[in-house]
Amino acid sequence: MSYHERGTGPPIVFVHGYLVNANIWRKVVPLLSDHFRCLTPDWPLGSHLTPVNRDADLSPPGIARMIADFIEALQLRDVILFGNDSGGAYSQLAAANHPERIGSLVLASCETPDCTWPPTPGGFPLLKRTAVHPLTYRALYQVLRAPTAWRWRNTYGWLAKYPIDRLTMRSYVDPVLNSSAIRYDGRKAISSVDERFTRSAATSLTTTFGKPIHLIWASADRVFPLAGARRYADSLGASLRTVGDSYTYLTEDQPELTAALLTEAVNR
C-alpha cells in the first residue's frame, strides 16, 4: 500500500472514502505540514494504483484493522485520526476496535448512527447493489469516462460543491475504469459496507473510547445531514465545528478553514 508523508510534529493519519485517493488531501496537507506530520495513504477503495493481495480482508472491520496495522508499522503514537466521507466510518471502527495508538479522532462529514452505509441521499446505495457481480460493477462505472458525469449527484456532484480539477478526477476514476485488479478490490470493499458496523462502533466510542473526539461538518452537506452530526456530537460529548460553502469534501471545497478548525480542535 502506498502512502505519502510531509511535515513534522504530531502525526495525523488521513483516511479517505470510497473512489478517491490521497489526492483528496492535496490542498490541506501544505496548510498543516508546518505543525503536523501528515500521512496520507492510498487506501484500497477503488482509486488506488497497487492492488492488495487477493485474499485481503476489505470488509469494514478489515479496513479498520488495516488502519491500525499502518499506524503500528510506522510505530506512531497518539495519532490524530482524521476521516472524511466513508473514511470517517472506517476511522470510527478503527478507533473503537483498535484504540491503542490513537490519541484523538476527527470526523469530517461522514456516516453517523443516523445514516445508512452507503448513504441513502444521492442514489449511493446503487454502489453496493451493483457490486454483487463483476460485470454489473464494471458497467456502473463506465459513465465516468465522460467528464460531464463527474458532476452528477450520484457520482461526485453532491460530494464536492465545486468542480474538482481534471487531473485529480482522472486519478480517482482511471484505476477503477482500467484495472480489473483494482475493480476487484473496490468491489470487495463496497459490497461489504453496512450501517450495523458504524452503529456498533458508535456505541463503543460513546461508552469506552475515552479520548477526544471532534466533528467538523459541512453546514450544507447533502449526503450526511448536519442534524445527524449534532445528535452524534451530543451523544459522544464531542465538539462540533461547521464549515460553510462546502459539501462533504471539506478539504476540497474549503481547505483553509478545514485546516484551521482541525488545528484548533486538536490543540484545545
Side-chain angles (χ1 to χ4, degrees):
M1 189 176 70
S2 300
Y3 74 97
H4 315 267
E5 180 174 349
R6 177 171 173 176
T8 58
I12 305 177
V13 172
F14 291 83
V15 186
H16 60 72
Y18 180 67
L19 223 63
V20 296
N21 53 40
N23 282 332
I24 197 74
W25 317 118
R26 70 195 185 285
K27 296 179 181 179
V28 76
V29 164
L31 303 172
L32 294 167
S33 58
D34 284 347
H35 303 288
F36 298 96
R37 181 184 177 189
C38 299
L39 300 119
T40 58
D42 288 326
W43 303 103
L45 299 174
S47 295
H48 52 303
L49 294 177
T50 304
V52 296
N53 295 340
R54 293 282 288 188
D55 61 350
D57 182 0
L58 300 185
S59 69
I63 295 290
R65 175 75 259 177
M66 191 177 293
I67 294 168
D69 287 347
F70 175 83
I71 291 171
E72 183 176 3
L74 272 66
Q75 293 294 299
L76 305 175
R77 297 189 180 276
D78 293 323
V79 166
I80 302 160
L81 188 61
F82 183 99
N84 175 231
D85 188 29
S86 54
Y90 294 119
S91 296
Q92 291 173 66
L93 269 71
N97 298 334
H98 313 285
E100 298 80 13
R101 293 176 178 266
I102 297 172
S104 60
L105 176 64
V106 183
L107 303 176
S109 281
C110 63
E111 281 81 1
T112 72
D114 289 348
C115 299
T116 59
W117 188 16
T120 300
F124 293 108
L126 186 64
L127 300 176
K128 182 175 179 176
R129 290 197 294 268
T130 57
V132 298
H133 193 278
L135 292 180
T136 55
Y137 183 80
R138 181 179 183 180
L140 178 68
Y141 294 96
Q142 295 310 303
V143 69
L144 295 177
R145 294 189 183 278
T148 53
W150 299 343
R151 296 301 299 160
W152 293 357
R153 71 177 188 176
N154 59 345
T155 60
Y156 296 87
W158 274 15
L159 296 170
K161 186 172 184 179
Y162 301 102
I164 301 171
D165 68 88
R166 187 183 185 92
L167 185 63
T168 299
M169 283 300 308
R170 291 253 65 102
S171 81
Y172 296 161
V173 304
D174 282 354
V176 76
L177 289 173
N178 299 329
S179 169
S180 61
I182 297 299
R183 285 195 296 274
Y184 181 81
D185 291 347
R187 190 167 70 88
K188 283 176 65 177
I190 196 63
S191 67
S192 60
V193 302
D194 193 281
E195 58 267 23
R196 73 180 187 274
F197 295 114
T198 46
R199 289 172 184 167
S200 174
T203 299
S204 297
L205 292 174
T206 301
T207 57
T208 63
F209 182 56
K211 300 176 184 181
I213 302 176
H214 310 282
L215 277 63
I216 302 175
W217 227 262
S219 57
D221 201 307
R222 306 186 76 170
V223 178
F224 306 107
L226 179 60
R230 294 192 190 280
R231 287 188 289 271
Y232 197 25
D234 287 343
S235 69
L236 293 169
S239 64
L240 172 64
R241 294 161 172 82
T242 58
V243 176
D245 198 28
S246 177
Y247 289 166
T248 300
Y249 290 164
L250 299 164
T251 60
E252 182 68 45
D253 287 330
Q254 295 294 335
E256 292 84 2
L257 181 54
T258 304
L261 293 178
L262 171 59
T263 301
E264 175 189 315
V266 300
N267 286 335
R268 287 184 63 184

